[in-house]
Amino acid sequence: MTNPSAAPSVTPSADPSDDPEAFRERAVTTLVTARDRTTLLTSCVEDPDLTAQHSPLMSPLVWDLAHIGNQEEQWLLRTVGGHEAIRPEIDGIYDAFEHPRSERPTLPLLSPAESRRYAAEVRGRVLDILEGSALHGTRLTEAGFAFGMIAQHEQQHDETMLITHQLRKGPQALTAPDPEPAPLFTGPAEVLVPGGPFTMGTSDEPWALDNERPAHRREVDPFYIDTTPVTNAEYQAFIEDGGYENERWWAPAGWAHIRGHSIHAPLFWSRDGKQWLRRRFGVTEVVPPDEPVVHVCWYEADAYARWAGRRLPTEAEWEKAARHDPAGDRSMRYPWGDADPAPEHANLGQRHLRPAPAGSYPEGESPLGVRQLIGDVWEWTASDFEPYPGFQAFPYKEYSEVFFGPDHKVLRGGSFAVDAVACRGTFRNWDYPIRRQIFSGFRTARSAGAV
C-alpha cells in the first residue's frame, strides 16, 4: 500500500486572538492528517497481523489503534467537551502505565473492527466539539492546545506503529517513493558553533509540550558539530576496525550490553560475504553507504564517537546548532527559520520510508550551515532527560515528569517517521540507551579546543 503524499501537518505560531479560525483549521488539518496515517498503518495488513505481537517491545497494532481513540475520548470528549464517556470500561485496558507492552496481548482488547468503529465515533464527536470551541478560556483550550496535543499523541503512536511494521516479519506491506537523489555532499565535515548564551526551550509555541518549557538562557562553550549525521559508510568503518570487539570505546554498561546480547552491527543488518545487507519494511537490500545510519542505540553512538576521537553533542549544543541565529542573536523555531516545515526543508511525515542521503535538504540547513537537523533520523545526545529550570507538569505528570533522570537519554530532531506536528526545534524525545528499534542515528561533536 502506497503512502499518501499529503503535505505534513503544521504547528501554529500565531496569537489565537488574531485569527481563531486559522487555529481551528490547523487543528482540523492535523487531526485529519494523523487519522489518515493511522488508517494507512492499520489497513495495509490483515487482522491477524493487527492482533499479533510482533515484538515484546511493542504493542499489538490493534492496541495502539484503540488507545488513540481512548486518549482522544478522555481528553477531548470528556475533559474539553464535558460529554459523557462512550466506553469507560476500557479506560484501564488502554492505560499505557497500567499495562506494560509485553502484557497487552493478554488483555481483552477490542477487535480490529470494534477499534475502528470506536475511534471513528470518537473522532466524529470531537470534530463537532472543535467546530464550536472558542479555543481560549483555559490553559487546556488556549490556541487549541488540547486538540494539538491529541494530534501529536496520535502521530507519536503512528511512529510507534511504523516501528512495529519494521519489526514485523513477512512480505512488504508499506511502500513509499524514495527521497529525491541528492548530489554527493562535498561541503565541510564539521561546523563551528560559537560559544556564548542562547535561548533554549520555548514559552510561546502554542502546542509545545511541558518538557519543552519554559524558555531560558543557556551558556554553551564553542564547539564543532558534524555538518550531517554519521552515515552507514562511516559507521561501517567503525565495524571493520573492530569497533564492536574493542572494550576501550565502550561505556561499561554498553560493553556489557553488546557482549551479553551478541551485538555486532546496527539492528536489522546482516553480513553477506564482503557486503552488509539490511532488512527494511520487509525488503532485504544492500546497506546504502551515503544514508545516515539508523537503528543504533545510545551506547553504539557513544562508542563510535569515542572511536572517531569525538563525542556526542549535549542537548544544549544540539539545540544551539539547530535554532541559534548569530546574526540576530535569537532562537528560531526551526534551523531554516520560523516557517512551518515544507518538503524542501526536511524528510518528515512518512513521505519516504528511509533517510535521505547525507547532505540533502540544503534549504533546511541552519544559519551556520548544519544540515538535516530536522527529520531523517532521531539524533542521540549526550544528555540525560531532565526538566528545564521552572518546569511545570502539564496537563499530566505521566507525559514527562515520571521519565526524568539518568535512565533515559535525550534524542533530538525527529526522523522520517515523525510528522511535523510532533517535531520542532524545541521538541524533546527520550529513550533507554539500549533502544535500537527506534529510528535513531546521531552526529558527533568536539570542543573547540580539542584536536
Short mmCIF file of all heavy atoms in Angstrom, two decimals, residues 264-327:
data_model
loop_
_atom_site.label_atom_id
_atom_site.label_comp_id
_atom_site.label_asym_id
_atom_site.label_seq_id
_atom_site.Cartn_x
_atom_site.Cartn_y
_atom_site.Cartn_z
N HIS A 264 26.79 -6.99 17.03
CA HIS A 264 27.99 -6.73 16.23
C HIS A 264 27.76 -5.73 15.11
O HIS A 264 28.68 -5.45 14.33
CB HIS A 264 28.52 -8.04 15.64
CG HIS A 264 28.85 -9.07 16.67
ND1 HIS A 264 29.96 -8.99 17.48
CD2 HIS A 264 28.20 -10.20 17.04
CE1 HIS A 264 30.01 -10.03 18.29
NE2 HIS A 264 28.94 -10.78 18.06
N ALA A 265 26.54 -5.17 15.02
CA ALA A 265 26.20 -4.24 13.94
C ALA A 265 24.86 -3.61 14.29
O ALA A 265 24.17 -4.06 15.22
CB ALA A 265 26.10 -4.97 12.60
N PRO A 266 24.45 -2.56 13.58
CA PRO A 266 23.13 -1.99 13.83
C PRO A 266 22.02 -3.02 13.67
O PRO A 266 22.17 -4.02 12.96
CB PRO A 266 23.02 -0.89 12.75
CG PRO A 266 24.43 -0.49 12.49
CD PRO A 266 25.21 -1.77 12.58
N LEU A 267 20.91 -2.79 14.35
CA LEU A 267 19.77 -3.68 14.24
C LEU A 267 19.31 -3.79 12.79
O LEU A 267 19.34 -2.80 12.04
CB LEU A 267 18.63 -3.16 15.11
CG LEU A 267 17.40 -4.06 15.28
CD1 LEU A 267 17.77 -5.39 15.93
CD2 LEU A 267 16.34 -3.33 16.11
N PHE A 268 18.93 -4.99 12.39
CA PHE A 268 18.43 -5.31 11.05
C PHE A 268 19.55 -5.47 10.02
O PHE A 268 19.28 -5.73 8.85
CB PHE A 268 17.39 -4.31 10.54
CG PHE A 268 16.25 -4.08 11.47
CD1 PHE A 268 16.06 -2.84 12.07
CD2 PHE A 268 15.37 -5.10 11.78
CE1 PHE A 268 15.01 -2.63 12.95
CE2 PHE A 268 14.31 -4.90 12.67
CZ PHE A 268 14.14 -3.66 13.24
N TRP A 269 20.83 -5.34 10.41
CA TRP A 269 21.95 -5.57 9.50
C TRP A 269 22.37 -7.04 9.55
O TRP A 269 22.29 -7.68 10.60
CB TRP A 269 23.15 -4.71 9.87
CG TRP A 269 23.03 -3.26 9.51
CD1 TRP A 269 21.91 -2.50 9.42
CD2 TRP A 269 24.12 -2.38 9.20
NE1 TRP A 269 22.21 -1.21 9.09
CE2 TRP A 269 23.57 -1.11 8.95
CE3 TRP A 269 25.50 -2.55 9.11
CZ2 TRP A 269 24.35 0.00 8.61
CZ3 TRP A 269 26.29 -1.44 8.79
CH2 TRP A 269 25.72 -0.19 8.53
N SER A 270 22.86 -7.55 8.43
CA SER A 270 23.43 -8.89 8.36
C SER A 270 24.56 -8.90 7.35
O SER A 270 24.56 -8.11 6.39
CB SER A 270 22.37 -9.93 7.99
OG SER A 270 21.82 -9.66 6.72
N ARG A 271 25.51 -9.78 7.54
CA ARG A 271 26.68 -9.85 6.65
C ARG A 271 26.42 -10.86 5.55
O ARG A 271 25.92 -11.96 5.80
CB ARG A 271 27.91 -10.26 7.46
CG ARG A 271 29.24 -10.01 6.77
CD ARG A 271 29.61 -8.56 6.86
NE ARG A 271 30.89 -8.27 6.25
CZ ARG A 271 31.88 -7.68 6.90
NH1 ARG A 271 31.74 -7.33 8.17
NH2 ARG A 271 33.01 -7.41 6.30
N ASP A 272 26.74 -10.49 4.33
CA ASP A 272 26.64 -11.40 3.19
C ASP A 272 27.97 -11.31 2.44
O ASP A 272 28.17 -10.46 1.58
CB ASP A 272 25.48 -11.00 2.27
CG ASP A 272 25.36 -11.92 1.07
OD1 ASP A 272 25.78 -13.09 1.16
OD2 ASP A 272 24.83 -11.46 0.03
N GLY A 273 28.88 -12.20 2.82
CA GLY A 273 30.21 -12.14 2.22
C GLY A 273 30.91 -10.87 2.66
O GLY A 273 31.09 -10.61 3.85
N LYS A 274 31.29 -10.05 1.69
CA LYS A 274 32.00 -8.81 2.00
C LYS A 274 31.09 -7.60 2.10
O LYS A 274 31.57 -6.48 2.32
CB LYS A 274 33.06 -8.55 0.92
CG LYS A 274 34.19 -9.58 0.91
CD LYS A 274 35.25 -9.20 -0.10
CE LYS A 274 36.40 -10.21 -0.08
NZ LYS A 274 37.48 -9.83 -1.05
N GLN A 275 29.79 -7.80 1.92
CA GLN A 275 28.89 -6.65 1.97
C GLN A 275 27.87 -6.80 3.10
O GLN A 275 27.58 -7.90 3.56
CB GLN A 275 28.15 -6.47 0.64
CG GLN A 275 27.18 -7.58 0.29
CD GLN A 275 26.47 -7.34 -1.04
OE1 GLN A 275 26.65 -6.31 -1.69
NE2 GLN A 275 25.65 -8.29 -1.44
N TRP A 276 27.36 -5.66 3.52
CA TRP A 276 26.33 -5.63 4.54
C TRP A 276 24.96 -5.45 3.90
O TRP A 276 24.79 -4.64 2.98
CB TRP A 276 26.58 -4.48 5.53
CG TRP A 276 27.68 -4.74 6.49
CD1 TRP A 276 28.97 -4.29 6.43
CD2 TRP A 276 27.59 -5.50 7.70
NE1 TRP A 276 29.69 -4.73 7.51
CE2 TRP A 276 28.87 -5.47 8.31
CE3 TRP A 276 26.56 -6.21 8.33
CZ2 TRP A 276 29.14 -6.12 9.52
CZ3 TRP A 276 26.82 -6.85 9.53
CH2 TRP A 276 28.11 -6.81 10.12
N LEU A 277 24.00 -6.22 4.40
CA LEU A 277 22.61 -6.10 3.98
C LEU A 277 21.79 -5.60 5.16
O LEU A 277 22.19 -5.71 6.31
CB LEU A 277 22.06 -7.45 3.51
CG LEU A 277 22.81 -8.17 2.40
CD1 LEU A 277 22.14 -9.51 2.11
CD2 LEU A 277 22.90 -7.33 1.14
N ARG A 278 20.62 -5.07 4.85
CA ARG A 278 19.69 -4.70 5.92
C ARG A 278 18.27 -5.07 5.49
O ARG A 278 17.96 -5.12 4.29
CB ARG A 278 19.76 -3.21 6.24
CG ARG A 278 19.18 -2.30 5.17
CD ARG A 278 19.20 -0.84 5.59
NE ARG A 278 18.63 0.02 4.56
CZ ARG A 278 18.65 1.35 4.59
NH1 ARG A 278 19.23 1.99 5.60
NH2 ARG A 278 18.09 2.07 3.64
N ARG A 279 17.43 -5.32 6.48
CA ARG A 279 16.01 -5.57 6.23
C ARG A 279 15.25 -4.30 6.56
O ARG A 279 15.37 -3.77 7.66
CB ARG A 279 15.50 -6.74 7.07
CG ARG A 279 14.03 -7.08 6.83
CD ARG A 279 13.67 -8.39 7.51
NE ARG A 279 13.91 -8.35 8.94
CZ ARG A 279 13.07 -7.83 9.84
NH1 ARG A 279 11.94 -7.27 9.43
NH2 ARG A 279 13.35 -7.85 11.13
N ARG A 280 14.49 -3.81 5.60
CA ARG A 280 13.75 -2.55 5.76
C ARG A 280 12.33 -2.74 5.30
O ARG A 280 12.05 -2.88 4.13
CB ARG A 280 14.44 -1.43 4.98
CG ARG A 280 13.80 -0.05 5.15
CD ARG A 280 14.59 1.02 4.40
NE ARG A 280 14.63 0.76 2.96
CZ ARG A 280 13.68 1.14 2.10
NH1 ARG A 280 12.60 1.78 2.53
NH2 ARG A 280 13.80 0.87 0.82
N PHE A 281 11.40 -2.80 6.24
CA PHE A 281 9.98 -2.94 5.96
C PHE A 281 9.70 -4.10 5.01
O PHE A 281 8.99 -3.97 4.02
CB PHE A 281 9.40 -1.64 5.42
CG PHE A 281 9.49 -0.50 6.40
CD1 PHE A 281 10.41 0.52 6.22
CD2 PHE A 281 8.69 -0.48 7.52
CE1 PHE A 281 10.51 1.56 7.13
CE2 PHE A 281 8.79 0.56 8.45
CZ PHE A 281 9.69 1.58 8.25
N GLY A 282 10.30 -5.25 5.31
CA GLY A 282 10.02 -6.46 4.57
C GLY A 282 10.88 -6.69 3.35
O GLY A 282 10.75 -7.71 2.68
N VAL A 283 11.80 -5.78 3.05
CA VAL A 283 12.66 -5.90 1.88
C VAL A 283 14.12 -5.98 2.36
O VAL A 283 14.54 -5.20 3.22
CB VAL A 283 12.49 -4.69 0.94
CG1 VAL A 283 13.49 -4.76 -0.20
CG2 VAL A 283 11.07 -4.64 0.41
N THR A 284 14.87 -6.92 1.82
CA THR A 284 16.31 -7.01 2.12
C THR A 284 17.09 -6.33 1.02
O THR A 284 16.87 -6.57 -0.18
CB THR A 284 16.74 -8.48 2.25
OG1 THR A 284 16.01 -9.08 3.32
CG2 THR A 284 18.23 -8.58 2.53
N GLU A 285 18.01 -5.44 1.40
CA GLU A 285 18.74 -4.64 0.43
C GLU A 285 20.15 -4.39 0.94
O GLU A 285 20.45 -4.54 2.12
CB GLU A 285 18.02 -3.29 0.21
CG GLU A 285 17.91 -2.47 1.49
CD GLU A 285 17.01 -1.24 1.35
OE1 GLU A 285 16.27 -1.15 0.35
OE2 GLU A 285 17.04 -0.39 2.25
N VAL A 286 21.03 -4.02 -0.01
CA VAL A 286 22.39 -3.63 0.37
C VAL A 286 22.31 -2.34 1.17
O VAL A 286 21.56 -1.42 0.83
CB VAL A 286 23.26 -3.45 -0.89
CG1 VAL A 286 24.64 -2.93 -0.51
CG2 VAL A 286 23.36 -4.76 -1.66
N VAL A 287 23.08 -2.26 2.22
CA VAL A 287 23.10 -1.05 3.05
C VAL A 287 23.63 0.11 2.21
O VAL A 287 24.75 0.06 1.70
CB VAL A 287 23.98 -1.25 4.30
CG1 VAL A 287 24.17 0.07 5.03
CG2 VAL A 287 23.37 -2.30 5.22
N PRO A 288 22.84 1.17 2.02
CA PRO A 288 23.29 2.30 1.20
C PRO A 288 24.35 3.11 1.95
O PRO A 288 24.11 3.57 3.07
CB PRO A 288 22.02 3.12 0.98
CG PRO A 288 21.12 2.74 2.10
CD PRO A 288 21.46 1.35 2.50
N PRO A 289 25.50 3.31 1.37
CA PRO A 289 26.60 3.94 2.11
C PRO A 289 26.38 5.39 2.49
O PRO A 289 26.91 5.85 3.51
CB PRO A 289 27.79 3.80 1.15
CG PRO A 289 27.19 3.65 -0.20
CD PRO A 289 25.91 2.91 0.00
N ASP A 290 25.59 6.13 1.71
CA ASP A 290 25.50 7.57 1.92
C ASP A 290 24.33 7.99 2.79
O ASP A 290 24.14 9.18 3.05
CB ASP A 290 25.43 8.31 0.58
CG ASP A 290 24.28 7.86 -0.30
OD1 ASP A 290 23.66 6.81 0.01
OD2 ASP A 290 23.97 8.56 -1.28
N GLU A 291 23.52 7.05 3.26
CA GLU A 291 22.42 7.40 4.15
C GLU A 291 22.89 7.49 5.59
O GLU A 291 23.82 6.78 5.99
CB GLU A 291 21.30 6.35 4.09
CG GLU A 291 20.41 6.44 2.88
CD GLU A 291 19.26 5.44 2.95
OE1 GLU A 291 19.01 4.89 4.06
OE2 GLU A 291 18.62 5.20 1.92
N PRO A 292 22.25 8.33 6.41
CA PRO A 292 22.55 8.30 7.84
C PRO A 292 22.29 6.92 8.43
O PRO A 292 21.29 6.27 8.09
CB PRO A 292 21.59 9.35 8.42
CG PRO A 292 21.32 10.29 7.28
CD PRO A 292 21.31 9.41 6.05
N VAL A 293 23.18 6.47 9.29
CA VAL A 293 22.97 5.18 9.94
C VAL A 293 21.75 5.29 10.85
O VAL A 293 21.48 6.34 11.45
CB VAL A 293 24.23 4.76 10.73
CG1 VAL A 293 24.50 5.68 11.91
CG2 VAL A 293 24.11 3.31 11.20
N VAL A 294 20.98 4.21 10.93
CA VAL A 294 19.75 4.20 11.72
C VAL A 294 19.67 2.88 12.47
O VAL A 294 20.32 1.90 12.10
CB VAL A 294 18.52 4.44 10.81
CG1 VAL A 294 18.32 3.30 9.83
CG2 VAL A 294 17.25 4.69 11.62
N HIS A 295 18.88 2.86 13.53
CA HIS A 295 18.70 1.68 14.39
C HIS A 295 19.98 1.36 15.17
O HIS A 295 20.38 0.20 15.27
CB HIS A 295 18.24 0.46 13.59
CG HIS A 295 16.89 0.64 12.96
ND1 HIS A 295 15.77 0.92 13.70
CD2 HIS A 295 16.49 0.58 11.65
CE1 HIS A 295 14.72 1.02 12.87
NE2 HIS A 295 15.14 0.83 11.64
N VAL A 296 20.60 2.40 15.71
CA VAL A 296 21.70 2.20 16.66
C VAL A 296 21.28 2.75 18.02
O VAL A 296 20.53 3.73 18.10
CB VAL A 296 23.01 2.88 16.20
CG1 VAL A 296 23.59 2.17 14.98
CG2 VAL A 296 22.79 4.36 15.90
N CYS A 297 21.75 2.12 19.07
CA CYS A 297 21.42 2.57 20.41
C CYS A 297 22.41 3.66 20.86
O CYS A 297 23.41 3.92 20.18
CB CYS A 297 21.42 1.40 21.39
SG CYS A 297 23.04 0.69 21.77
N TRP A 298 22.13 4.24 22.02
CA TRP A 298 22.99 5.30 22.53
C TRP A 298 24.40 4.77 22.77
O TRP A 298 25.38 5.46 22.48
CB TRP A 298 22.42 5.86 23.84
CG TRP A 298 23.19 7.02 24.38
CD1 TRP A 298 22.99 8.34 24.09
CD2 TRP A 298 24.30 6.99 25.29
NE1 TRP A 298 23.91 9.13 24.77
CE2 TRP A 298 24.72 8.32 25.51
CE3 TRP A 298 24.98 5.95 25.94
CZ2 TRP A 298 25.78 8.64 26.35
CZ3 TRP A 298 26.05 6.27 26.78
CH2 TRP A 298 26.43 7.61 26.98
N TYR A 299 24.52 3.56 23.28
CA TYR A 299 25.85 3.01 23.55
C TYR A 299 26.66 2.86 22.26
O TYR A 299 27.87 3.09 22.25
CB TYR A 299 25.72 1.66 24.25
CG TYR A 299 25.21 1.74 25.66
CD1 TYR A 299 24.09 1.02 26.06
CD2 TYR A 299 25.84 2.55 26.61
CE1 TYR A 299 23.60 1.09 27.36
CE2 TYR A 299 25.37 2.62 27.92
CZ TYR A 299 24.25 1.90 28.29
OH TYR A 299 23.79 1.96 29.58
N GLU A 300 26.01 2.46 21.18
CA GLU A 300 26.71 2.35 19.90
C GLU A 300 27.14 3.72 19.39
O GLU A 300 28.25 3.89 18.89
CB GLU A 300 25.80 1.65 18.88
CG GLU A 300 25.58 0.18 19.18
CD GLU A 300 24.51 -0.43 18.29
OE1 GLU A 300 23.33 -0.04 18.44
OE2 GLU A 300 24.84 -1.30 17.46
N ALA A 301 26.24 4.71 19.50
CA ALA A 301 26.59 6.06 19.07
C ALA A 301 27.75 6.61 19.89
O ALA A 301 28.69 7.21 19.35
CB ALA A 301 25.37 6.97 19.21
N ASP A 302 27.72 6.39 21.19
CA ASP A 302 28.78 6.86 22.08
C ASP A 302 30.10 6.18 21.76
O ASP A 302 31.16 6.83 21.73
CB ASP A 302 28.37 6.60 23.52
CG ASP A 302 29.42 7.03 24.53
OD1 ASP A 302 29.70 8.23 24.60
OD2 ASP A 302 29.94 6.16 25.24
N ALA A 303 30.06 4.87 21.49
CA ALA A 303 31.30 4.14 21.18
C ALA A 303 31.90 4.62 19.86
O ALA A 303 33.12 4.80 19.74
CB ALA A 303 31.01 2.65 21.12
N TYR A 304 31.04 4.83 18.85
CA TYR A 304 31.54 5.34 17.57
C TYR A 304 32.22 6.69 17.78
O TYR A 304 33.32 6.95 17.24
CB TYR A 304 30.41 5.48 16.56
CG TYR A 304 30.86 6.16 15.28
CD1 TYR A 304 31.28 5.42 14.19
CD2 TYR A 304 30.90 7.55 15.18
CE1 TYR A 304 31.72 6.04 13.02
CE2 TYR A 304 31.34 8.19 14.03
CZ TYR A 304 31.75 7.42 12.95
OH TYR A 304 32.18 8.05 11.81
N ALA A 305 31.57 7.58 18.53
CA ALA A 305 32.14 8.90 18.74
C ALA A 305 33.50 8.82 19.42
O ALA A 305 34.44 9.53 19.03
CB ALA A 305 31.18 9.75 19.58
N ARG A 306 33.65 7.95 20.40
CA ARG A 306 34.95 7.78 21.06
C ARG A 306 35.99 7.27 20.06
O ARG A 306 37.14 7.73 20.05
CB ARG A 306 34.82 6.81 22.23
CG ARG A 306 33.95 7.29 23.38
CD ARG A 306 33.74 6.12 24.36
NE ARG A 306 32.73 6.39 25.34
CZ ARG A 306 32.96 6.55 26.65
NH1 ARG A 306 34.20 6.49 27.09
NH2 ARG A 306 31.97 6.77 27.49
N TRP A 307 35.59 6.28 19.26
CA TRP A 307 36.50 5.71 18.26
C TRP A 307 36.96 6.78 17.28
O TRP A 307 38.13 6.80 16.86
CB TRP A 307 35.77 4.58 17.52
CG TRP A 307 36.47 4.08 16.30
CD1 TRP A 307 37.49 3.17 16.25
CD2 TRP A 307 36.18 4.44 14.94
NE1 TRP A 307 37.85 2.94 14.94
CE2 TRP A 307 37.08 3.72 14.12
CE3 TRP A 307 35.25 5.29 14.34
CZ2 TRP A 307 37.06 3.82 12.73
CZ3 TRP A 307 35.24 5.41 12.97
CH2 TRP A 307 36.16 4.67 12.17
N ALA A 308 36.06 7.69 16.93
CA ALA A 308 36.38 8.76 15.98
C ALA A 308 37.13 9.93 16.63
O ALA A 308 37.44 10.91 15.96
CB ALA A 308 35.10 9.28 15.33
N GLY A 309 37.42 9.82 17.93
CA GLY A 309 38.10 10.90 18.63
C GLY A 309 37.20 12.08 18.92
O GLY A 309 37.68 13.22 19.07
N ARG A 310 35.91 11.82 19.01
CA ARG A 310 34.94 12.90 19.21
C ARG A 310 34.00 12.51 20.35
O ARG A 310 34.34 11.66 21.17
CB ARG A 310 34.19 13.15 17.89
CG ARG A 310 35.16 13.61 16.77
CD ARG A 310 34.46 13.65 15.42
NE ARG A 310 33.46 14.71 15.31
CZ ARG A 310 33.74 15.97 15.04
NH1 ARG A 310 35.01 16.38 14.86
NH2 ARG A 310 32.76 16.87 14.93
N ARG A 311 32.84 13.10 20.40
CA ARG A 311 31.86 12.80 21.43
C ARG A 311 30.48 13.12 20.89
O ARG A 311 30.34 13.75 19.82
CB ARG A 311 32.13 13.64 22.69
CG ARG A 311 32.12 15.14 22.43
CD ARG A 311 32.33 15.94 23.71
NE ARG A 311 32.45 17.38 23.47
CZ ARG A 311 31.44 18.22 23.28
NH1 ARG A 311 30.19 17.75 23.26
NH2 ARG A 311 31.66 19.51 23.08
N LEU A 312 29.45 12.71 21.60
CA LEU A 312 28.10 13.12 21.25
C LEU A 312 27.86 14.55 21.74
O LEU A 312 28.36 14.94 22.79
CB LEU A 312 27.07 12.19 21.88
CG LEU A 312 27.08 10.74 21.41
CD1 LEU A 312 26.02 9.93 22.16
CD2 LEU A 312 26.85 10.65 19.90
N PRO A 313 27.11 15.35 20.99
CA PRO A 313 26.79 16.69 21.47
C PRO A 313 25.85 16.63 22.66
O PRO A 313 25.03 15.71 22.77
CB PRO A 313 26.11 17.35 20.26
CG PRO A 313 25.51 16.20 19.50
CD PRO A 313 26.47 15.06 19.69
N THR A 314 25.96 17.60 23.54
CA THR A 314 24.96 17.71 24.59
C THR A 314 23.65 18.19 23.96
O THR A 314 23.62 18.70 22.83
CB THR A 314 25.39 18.71 25.67
OG1 THR A 314 25.42 20.04 25.08
CG2 THR A 314 26.75 18.36 26.24
N GLU A 315 22.58 18.06 24.73
CA GLU A 315 21.30 18.53 24.23
C GLU A 315 21.33 20.03 23.98
O GLU A 315 20.79 20.52 22.96
CB GLU A 315 20.18 18.18 25.21
CG GLU A 315 18.81 18.58 24.71
CD GLU A 315 17.69 18.27 25.68
OE1 GLU A 315 17.97 18.00 26.86
OE2 GLU A 315 16.52 18.32 25.25
N ALA A 316 21.95 20.79 24.87
CA ALA A 316 22.03 22.24 24.67
C ALA A 316 22.84 22.57 23.42
O ALA A 316 22.49 23.48 22.66
CB ALA A 316 22.64 22.90 25.91
N GLU A 317 23.94 21.86 23.19
CA GLU A 317 24.73 22.09 21.98
C GLU A 317 23.90 21.79 20.74
O GLU A 317 23.93 22.55 19.76
CB GLU A 317 25.99 21.23 22.01
CG GLU A 317 27.03 21.71 23.01
CD GLU A 317 28.20 20.76 23.12
OE1 GLU A 317 28.04 19.54 22.83
OE2 GLU A 317 29.29 21.21 23.49
N TRP A 318 23.18 20.68 20.77
CA TRP A 318 22.36 20.33 19.61
C TRP A 318 21.35 21.44 19.32
O TRP A 318 21.19 21.87 18.18
CB TRP A 318 21.64 19.00 19.84
CG TRP A 318 20.94 18.51 18.60
CD1 TRP A 318 21.42 17.61 17.70
CD2 TRP A 318 19.66 18.94 18.10
NE1 TRP A 318 20.51 17.45 16.67
CE2 TRP A 318 19.43 18.26 16.89
CE3 TRP A 318 18.71 19.84 18.56
CZ2 TRP A 318 18.27 18.43 16.14
CZ3 TRP A 318 17.54 20.03 17.80
CH2 TRP A 318 17.34 19.33 16.61
N GLU A 319 20.67 21.91 20.37
CA GLU A 319 19.63 22.92 20.13
C GLU A 319 20.23 24.24 19.68
O GLU A 319 19.65 24.93 18.84
CB GLU A 319 18.76 23.12 21.37
CG GLU A 319 17.60 24.05 21.08
CD GLU A 319 16.51 24.04 22.13
OE1 GLU A 319 16.26 22.98 22.75
OE2 GLU A 319 15.88 25.10 22.33
N LYS A 320 21.40 24.60 20.20
CA LYS A 320 22.01 25.84 19.73
C LYS A 320 22.38 25.71 18.25
O LYS A 320 22.16 26.65 17.46
CB LYS A 320 23.24 26.21 20.54
CG LYS A 320 23.82 27.55 20.12
CD LYS A 320 24.84 28.12 21.08
CE LYS A 320 25.22 29.54 20.68
NZ LYS A 320 26.22 30.15 21.58
N ALA A 321 22.92 24.57 17.86
CA ALA A 321 23.26 24.36 16.44
C ALA A 321 22.02 24.43 15.57
O ALA A 321 22.09 24.86 14.42
CB ALA A 321 23.96 23.02 16.28
N ALA A 322 20.88 24.00 16.11
CA ALA A 322 19.66 23.91 15.31
C ALA A 322 18.86 25.21 15.28
O ALA A 322 18.17 25.49 14.29
CB ALA A 322 18.77 22.80 15.87
N ARG A 323 18.93 26.03 16.34
CA ARG A 323 17.99 27.15 16.45
C ARG A 323 18.65 28.52 16.50
O ARG A 323 17.99 29.53 16.22
CB ARG A 323 17.14 26.99 17.71
CG ARG A 323 16.26 25.76 17.74
CD ARG A 323 15.38 25.78 19.00
NE ARG A 323 14.49 26.92 18.98
CZ ARG A 323 14.09 27.58 20.08
NH1 ARG A 323 14.56 27.24 21.26
NH2 ARG A 323 13.25 28.59 19.98
N HIS A 324 19.92 28.59 16.86
CA HIS A 324 20.52 29.91 17.11
C HIS A 324 20.88 30.60 15.81
O HIS A 324 21.55 30.03 14.94
CB HIS A 324 21.77 29.75 17.97
CG HIS A 324 22.40 31.04 18.34
ND1 HIS A 324 21.78 31.99 19.11
CD2 HIS A 324 23.62 31.57 18.04
CE1 HIS A 324 22.57 33.03 19.28
NE2 HIS A 324 23.70 32.80 18.64
N ASP A 325 20.41 31.84 15.69
CA ASP A 325 20.77 32.69 14.56
C ASP A 325 21.74 33.75 15.06
O ASP A 325 21.33 34.70 15.73
CB ASP A 325 19.52 33.36 13.98
CG ASP A 325 19.83 34.23 12.77
OD1 ASP A 325 21.02 34.27 12.36
OD2 ASP A 325 18.90 34.87 12.25
N PRO A 326 23.03 33.58 14.79
CA PRO A 326 24.01 34.54 15.34
C PRO A 326 23.83 35.94 14.81
O PRO A 326 24.19 36.91 15.49
CB PRO A 326 25.35 33.94 14.93
CG PRO A 326 25.06 33.05 13.77
CD PRO A 326 23.68 32.52 14.00
N ALA A 327 23.23 36.07 13.62
CA ALA A 327 23.06 37.42 13.05
C ALA A 327 22.11 38.25 13.89
O ALA A 327 22.29 39.47 14.03
CB ALA A 327 22.56 37.33 11.61
#
